[in-house]
Amino acid sequence: MKKLFLVSALSFFSISAFAQDDAANKLVVDQFRKDKEKSDKDVSDPKSSAKASFWMERAKLYENIALQGSEVDSSAAKTSLEAYKKVVELDKTKKGEPGKSAKEAENVLAGGEGSQLFNAFVKQGAEKYQAKNLAGALEMFTAAQEINKKDTLASLYGGIAAQQLDKKDVAKEQFEKYAANGGKDPSVFYGLAQLYREEKNFDKAIEALNKGLAQAPNNKDLKAEVVNILLASGNESKAISELEALAQADPKNIQNVVNLAILYDNMQRTAADSVKQMSAKMGSGSKSAASLTKNLEAEKGKIEVFDGEVKRIGALIKKQPKNADLKRQLADVNTKKKETLATIATMEGEVKAATEAAASSASSGSEQKLNELKAKQKAASDKAIANYKKALEIDGTNYDALYNLGVYYFNEAVQLKGEVDNMNMTEYQQRGKEVEGRVCGKFKKAKPYFEKAIQAKDEAEAKENLTTVNGVLEQFAGKGVACVEE
């Protein structure tokens, strides 16, 4: 993710407009010091400070200091502002209306024609920023906006300073002003979106990016960030739609194609997990019923044994009617038979419940949902593979496409191997070798992608996976399994 701003690149380009020749500047600055000393002294003079003309002279003096001699007073613009306000306060006609000087001061305060006070604030704000006085810079830029409410320069710099002060709410406010006043710099809209994204206000983040796209319709960074934020907000389908449009508009942009493949890849993995979970859940119901039925049959088998014992012991008692031990044995057998019958009744209820639950699961649409998930997984898989291969048509050495394709086939092999691992002996004898051949084929299919990925970029993850693949293929070769590539 890119940074909001590289301030060194901005370099406060407007400052150069206020620069002045060093030799001439020394004379000007020396005069400013003298004039400032006199003005500051006269502020405490009741006669001078009661005149609007004094405050007008003081306002213009400090305005010029801000524009041409900040070394005399780095906050001169603020003093000038207050002096202009004093002029408006003091210069009133007998009717209470603004006098000539007051009107002139009002024009300056409103950023009217000929006013330089706005520039004074921006210049001194930039100087404070360069001196790393961020709080002072923000104060100056904010004041400048009060003079020229439609300006974008001060709001841009104010936003940068606020962001570096970690005043995120102020930064957002400044950048929103920049946008509202017609600012066009795409990086500002990108940065504003990041501020909203950090607080998980995804709607505002998208809104900021769309404002930026209205100013710069073809900006790739803004378009790509729309996709990123849609993904961060969990709106995967909308993200894919946006990225499809980007890929279609710029078919040679390999990053868009790779990103689209990754999105589809993630979608198919999520669907595969859901298929696995639902299959296990549906299978558990039928397996449970089958297991309970098997146990029930075993329990019923005990009744036959007990009946045989009753018959055998009964025959002995007829021959030995007074044998107490035989009578005790018969009583024990009858008791156990009674207990077993009770157990059988309970188990029959459990079998019935499990059978009904399995039937209910099938009739509730679970099978249909499972089929829909499988179809979704298949569609996403096909699109992932197609886009990875499209990316490799653009650049056959793209590491991400090569590595991810290797991982895709590797995971398919692992999933298929799971079927073999879960087979009983009978199942394995029937089709185990055939499935193992397909597993081997999947691993073999993954191998060249990892090899080419390593050639493109020497990454440990690709090397580790290639080592695993080679080891598995050697084991299959040792077992005499022939790889079957599909």
Side-chain angles (χ1 to χ4, degrees):
M1 184 181 297
K2 41 184 257 189
K3 298 284 186 183
L4 170 52
F5 293 110
L6 293 175
V7 178
S8 59
L10 291 176
S11 300
F12 286 100
F13 54 84
S14 64
I15 296 175
S16 60
F18 307 106
Q20 196 164 284
D21 180 77
D22 289 341
N25 189 52
K26 186 177 184 305
L27 294 175
V28 173
V29 167
D30 287 343
Q31 187 61 50
F32 280 152
R33 292 188 195 280
K34 294 176 183 177
D35 293 342
K36 175 182 181 300
E37 183 178 348
K38 182 179 184 304
S39 181
D40 290 348
K41 183 178 179 181
D42 288 346
V43 167
S44 57
D45 180 358
K47 290 184 179 180
S48 296
S49 60
K51 297 176 181 179
S53 58
F54 165 75
W55 290 104
M56 178 62 82
E57 289 177 5
R58 182 173 173 82
K60 291 181 177 180
L61 169 64
Y62 272 88
E63 183 180 282
N64 286 326
I65 289 174
L67 291 169
Q68 302 175 54
S70 278
E71 55 265 65
V72 176
D73 187 339
S74 64
S75 297
K78 290 170 60 179
T79 304
S80 177
L81 175 68
E82 294 306 317
Y84 276 123
K85 288 180 178 179
K86 197 72 175 176
V87 173
V88 174
E89 177 187 328
L90 293 176
D91 187 27
K92 303 284 186 183
T93 65
K94 291 181 180 180
K95 294 182 179 180
E97 297 174 351
K100 182 178 179 181
S101 294
K103 290 179 180 178
E104 181 182 348
E106 286 176 342
N107 177 66
V108 172
L109 293 173
E113 186 178 355
S115 173
Q116 288 294 309
L117 187 58
F118 168 81
N119 290 336
F121 272 107
V122 171
K123 176 177 178 290
Q124 290 204 303
E127 290 168 347
K128 287 181 183 295
Y129 180 90
Q130 290 181 327
K132 301 190 184 305
N133 180 359
L134 298 176
L138 178 58
E139 182 183 15
M140 289 291 182
F141 293 137
T142 302
Q145 292 169 59
E146 292 303 313
I147 297 168
N148 185 352
K149 291 181 170 58
K150 294 298 182 182
D151 171 71
T152 57
L153 186 65
S155 55
L156 170 61
Y157 292 165
I160 295 172
Q163 189 187 34
Q164 294 198 13
L165 285 166
D166 203 30
K167 293 185 175 182
K168 295 178 182 177
D169 287 341
V170 177
K172 286 185 294 185
E173 179 184 349
Q174 292 288 305
F175 292 144
E176 287 286 11
K177 285 182 179 179
Y178 174 87
N181 288 338
K184 298 182 183 298
D185 189 335
S187 64
V188 177
F189 297 97
Y190 185 99
L192 180 58
Q194 294 307 302
L195 290 170
Y196 284 122
R197 179 177 179 173
E198 286 178 14
E199 59 187 33
K200 299 190 184 305
N201 191 341
F202 299 117
D203 289 342
K204 291 291 290 184
I206 294 291
E207 181 183 318
L209 292 169
N210 285 336
K211 287 178 182 177
L213 287 168
Q215 299 293 344
N218 298 318
N219 187 275
K220 295 178 181 179
D221 289 332
L222 294 178
K223 290 180 178 180
E225 191 57 17
V226 169
V227 175
N228 291 335
I229 291 177
L230 287 170
L231 286 174
S233 65
N235 196 342
E236 190 177 65
S237 59
K238 183 71 181 296
I240 286 177
S241 176
E242 292 283 347
L243 201 49
E244 286 275 17
L246 287 178
Q248 187 174 356
D250 189 5
K252 294 299 181 182
N253 186 321
I254 190 169
Q255 197 56 55
N256 286 340
V257 179
V258 171
N259 287 342
L260 189 57
I262 291 172
L263 284 183
Y264 280 121
D265 203 345
N266 290 337
M267 181 182 285
Q268 73 87 12
R269 291 182 192 182
T270 301
D273 288 341
S274 298
V275 167
K276 185 177 180 180
Q277 292 170 10
M278 182 169 283
S279 296
K281 185 177 180 181
M282 291 174 65
S284 65
S286 58
K287 285 180 181 179
S288 175
S291 177
L292 288 171
T293 300
K294 184 177 179 180
N295 293 338
L296 174 61
E297 293 303 319
E299 202 68 21
K300 286 181 176 179
K302 293 180 182 179
I303 299 299
E304 186 177 346
V305 175
F306 291 141
D307 286 342
E309 279 294 288
V310 168
K311 185 176 180 181
R312 183 184 67 81
I313 296 172
L316 291 174
I317 291 175
K318 285 181 179 181
K319 295 178 181 179
Q320 304 173 51
K322 294 183 179 181
N323 191 319
D325 186 56
L326 289 174
K327 292 179 179 179
R328 179 190 59 74
Q329 290 180 33
L330 182 60
D332 287 344
V333 171
N334 282 324
T335 298
K336 289 179 180 178
K337 179 181 177 180
K338 185 178 180 180
E339 291 173 351
T340 300
L341 287 171
T343 301
I344 288 172
T346 300
M347 293 178 71
E348 285 177 337
E350 292 173 349
V351 168
K352 182 180 179 182
T355 303
E356 289 175 351
S360 174
S361 176
S363 64
S364 66
S366 295
E367 189 171 344
Q368 182 181 345
K369 291 177 184 177
L370 179 61
N371 289 334
E372 289 173 356
L373 276 173
K374 287 180 178 179
K376 181 179 179 181
Q377 180 194 358
K378 176 68 167 56
S381 294
D382 290 345
K383 289 181 179 179
I385 296 298
N387 280 285
Y388 281 136
K389 290 184 176 180
K390 183 179 178 182
L392 292 177
E393 289 174 4
I394 299 171
D395 178 7
T397 64
N398 183 274
Y399 175 83
D400 289 334
L402 290 166
Y403 177 78
N404 287 339
L405 266 175
V407 169
Y408 179 88
Y409 293 123
F410 183 98
N411 288 341
E412 276 198 330
V414 171
Q415 184 177 358
L416 193 56
K417 187 177 183 300
E419 290 185 25
V420 179
D421 294 340
N422 291 326
M423 289 179 182
N424 57 38
M425 186 57 68
T426 302
E427 290 173 327
Y428 183 80
Q429 289 174 346
Q430 290 175 346
R431 61 188 191 92
K433 289 290 185 181
E434 180 268 330
V435 177
E436 280 188 330
R438 292 166 56 207
V439 172
C440 181
K442 296 288 185 184
F443 279 119
K444 188 175 180 180
K445 197 170 185 178
K447 181 178 178 177
Y449 290 107
F450 288 134
E451 289 174 336
K452 291 177 183 177
I454 293 168
Q455 292 172 7
K457 189 186 295 185
D458 191 15
E459 293 285 348
E461 56 186 2
K463 288 181 175 179
E464 290 172 4
N465 287 343
L466 179 60
T467 299
T468 301
V469 168
N470 285 333
V472 171
L473 292 176
E474 286 176 9
Q475 291 177 19
F476 279 126
K479 293 172 64 177
V481 175
C483 296
V484 178
E485 294 189 52
E486 300 172 312

